[in-house]
Amino acid sequence: MDTLSLLMDGFGTALSLENLLFALIGCFIGTLIGALPGLGPANGVAIMIPLAFTLGIPPETALIMLTSVYAGAMYGGRISSIMLNIPGDEPAMMTCLDGYPMAKQGKAAEALALSALASFFGSLIGTIGLIFLAPILARFALSFGAAEYFALFVLAFATLGGVTGKNPVKSALAAGIGLAIATVGIDLSTGTQRYTFSLLELFEGIDFIVAIVGLFAVSELLLFIEARKGSAPHQEIKINPLRLSFASVKQILPSSFRGGILGFIAGVLPGAGASLGSFVSYTLEKRIIGAKGHFGKGDPRGIAAPEAGNNGAASGALVPMLTLGIPGSATTAVLLAMLVSFNITPGPLMFTQNADIVWGVIAALLLGNILLLLLNIPLVGIFVRLLSIPPRYLLPIVTMVAFVGIYAISRSAFDLCFMIAFGVMGYIFRKAEIPLVPIILGMLLGPEMEKNLRHVMQIYDGNWLMLWDSGLSISLWGIALAGLILPAIMGPIMRTRMRRTAD
């Protein structure tokens, strides 16, 4: 009953005219970003953060807009997968397998409509799971002490690569770089300057937002300049008038339900994410249907399962971010940075100290699903036509918005130079296949990790064994160890299966 009451209060926040308007804007922009190959939800949210600060909107409105962008980008990824056979982001890769063949059969409109419905069902299931699981996990996390939180942060870093990650050594290197960057500034405990080089601008450390926009948005532009792709629009498949029968919708319902549940579980688990949710949903559906289906040749259930899976995972990834302060995906890492910039500490206390924000966002996710469904079926033709715009026009505009937004926040040319430096670093790292998310995670969790370690050392006079004193902390360390070992064993197997399925 308490959860239902809090959710009703959340609807009161989400249904305000300002929040509803920004949710609609976020859904539209997110769908557009998701439809454009290469950008993806993490880049989309990173680009929009400076705009949120520039507009001066309150934290709950900013988070509602950015989570709407996140949800919209997950919806939008299916559009280029179906129309161009180019996934808008990695989780949408599985949608290509049956979406594009269906479009070539003259059923592009039906494929887009069914995928939108599957995305709606998957996201709805994921949000319902978020509503019930998040408060339980938050109450459990209230029992954490400093040693348990330190172990939890170690767990977050240990599971960074996940089973779909390519190289755990590179992930560890990136996390170490992020932790090193987090030490820049004045040590609040001792007042000592650390790696500031006597530059006043570095006394307060390096701004997360500057780093995020540089690593994601600017590096994306540099990669595009190097590739010089997009000089000509892709050849489009025309959309015929929509003829959607009740039988088609009924056919995808079980697939959407199963995919939404599997995706939500994958989103909650550290290191799994939407890509795994999409893959597992498609693979399970293919096995359940068996010879009765025609997967790989345009089976609607081959579209519904992965779409429900990756949208369910998007909601699931919010669970560890809101309850533990541990991002479950690249996009939630960016959202975490935004919350920290607003001086809001994600974690179990957020459900009591900032309950209006938490439940406002959850209610906005439910409303956003309805808005996205209403946008993605009647207006899909507009999003498809936008795919024909060459990226050489779109990416510079996107980057300019990021530059203006960063400057509007701090009015500092130094931050612009730093953003460019992070952009170059992001470009080099992406060329070397070094992941960027661990860098952001290191910057975000580093200060809290250091604070909890110092707290344990001060209480117990430097006795390191107290980090393993409680049963809970031992369990977290054990899970962290499993998170390091299992991906090394299961990762190559899962990636091989994903490649074979995609081929």
Side-chain angles (χ1 to χ4, degrees), residues 102 109-110 112-118 120-121 242-257 300-301 304 373 377:
M102 198 170 171
E110 184 180 348
L112 289 166
L114 290 174
S115 61
L117 285 169
F120 170 78
F121 290 130
L242 177 61
R243 296 184 181 89
L244 191 63
S245 65
F246 176 75
S248 299
V249 176
K250 184 179 178 181
Q251 184 186 28
I252 68 163
L253 283 178
S255 304
S256 301
F257 181 75
R301 292 163 294 190
L373 188 63
I377 292 181

Side-chain angles (χ1 to χ4, degrees), residues 222-421:
L222 294 175
L223 284 170
F224 169 74
I225 291 172
E226 181 198 33
R228 292 186 177 275
K229 292 179 181 177
S231 57
H234 295 284
Q235 184 179 0
E236 291 183 53
I237 295 175
K238 292 183 179 180
I239 300 182
N240 296 323
L242 177 61
R243 296 184 181 89
L244 191 63
S245 65
F246 176 75
S248 299
V249 176
K250 184 179 178 181
Q251 184 186 28
I252 68 163
L253 283 178
S255 304
S256 301
F257 181 75
R258 287 188 288 262
I261 292 175
L262 285 172
F264 176 74
I265 294 170
V268 173
L269 293 175
S275 297
L276 184 65
S278 175
F279 169 72
V280 172
S281 300
Y282 183 89
T283 304
L284 178 66
E285 202 60 31
K286 191 175 179 180
R287 288 185 178 179
I288 289 174
I289 304 300
K292 297 177 183 178
H294 45 280
F295 284 79
K297 299 177 182 178
D299 193 313
R301 292 163 294 190
I303 300 173
E307 279 302 308
N310 68 41
N311 282 275
S315 299
L318 291 170
V319 173
M321 187 202 81
L322 292 174
T323 58
L324 303 174
I326 302 297
S329 67
T331 313
T332 51
V334 179
L335 289 171
L336 181 65
M338 191 276 296
L339 285 173
V340 173
S341 298
F342 273 117
N343 294 319
I344 298 171
T345 304
L349 292 178
M350 188 177 175
F351 279 76
T352 53
Q353 296 174 353
N354 303 104
D356 55 332
I357 295 177
V358 174
W359 291 102
V361 168
I362 293 174
L365 279 173
L366 291 170
L367 294 173
N369 284 331
I370 298 171
L371 291 174
L372 282 165
L373 188 63
L374 295 175
L375 280 173
N376 274 265
I377 292 181
L379 300 182
V380 72
I382 296 174
F383 295 119
V384 169
R385 278 193 289 274
L386 287 170
L387 291 176
S388 64
I389 301 175
R392 69 175 182 269
Y393 299 130
L394 288 173
L395 282 176
I397 294 172
V398 166
T399 309
M400 183 187 70
V401 170
F403 270 81
V404 172
I406 289 294
Y407 186 75
I409 294 171
S410 62
R411 309 282 181 182
S412 169
F414 185 84
D415 282 351
L416 292 181
C417 294
F418 241 109
M419 185 176 71
I420 294 170

Side-chain angles (χ1 to χ4, degrees), residues 69-208:
V69 171
Y70 179 22
M74 298 303 292
Y75 267 69
R78 79 197 200 286
I79 296 175
S80 58
S81 296
I82 292 169
M83 299 304 297
L84 305 174
N85 202 28
I86 302 173
D89 54 4
E90 189 179 346
M93 178 180 65
M94 305 307 295
T95 308
C96 294
L97 302 181
D98 285 278
Y100 189 63
M102 198 170 171
K104 288 199 296 183
Q105 295 167 14
K107 299 178 181 177
E110 184 180 348
L112 289 166
L114 290 174
S115 61
L117 285 169
S119 297
F120 170 78
F121 290 130
S123 188
L124 181 63
I125 290 168
T127 306
I128 292 171
L130 171 64
I131 290 169
F132 289 103
L133 180 60
I136 296 171
L137 191 57
R139 284 194 291 270
F140 171 70
L142 287 172
S143 61
F144 284 22
E148 286 77 16
Y149 265 111
F150 182 78
L152 183 66
F153 293 142
V154 172
L155 169 62
F157 286 111
T159 55
L160 270 175
V163 293
T164 57
K166 292 182 179 179
N167 192 321
V169 175
K170 289 181 178 180
S171 295
L173 172 64
I177 292 171
L179 289 170
I181 294 173
T183 63
V184 174
I186 294 179
D187 184 351
L188 297 179
S189 298
T190 63
T192 306
Q193 293 184 32
R194 301 191 296 194
Y195 312 112
T196 61
F197 305 102
S198 300
L199 292 173
L200 185 63
E201 291 87 351
L202 293 178
F203 279 18
E204 293 184 0
I206 296 173
D207 196 322
F208 311 118

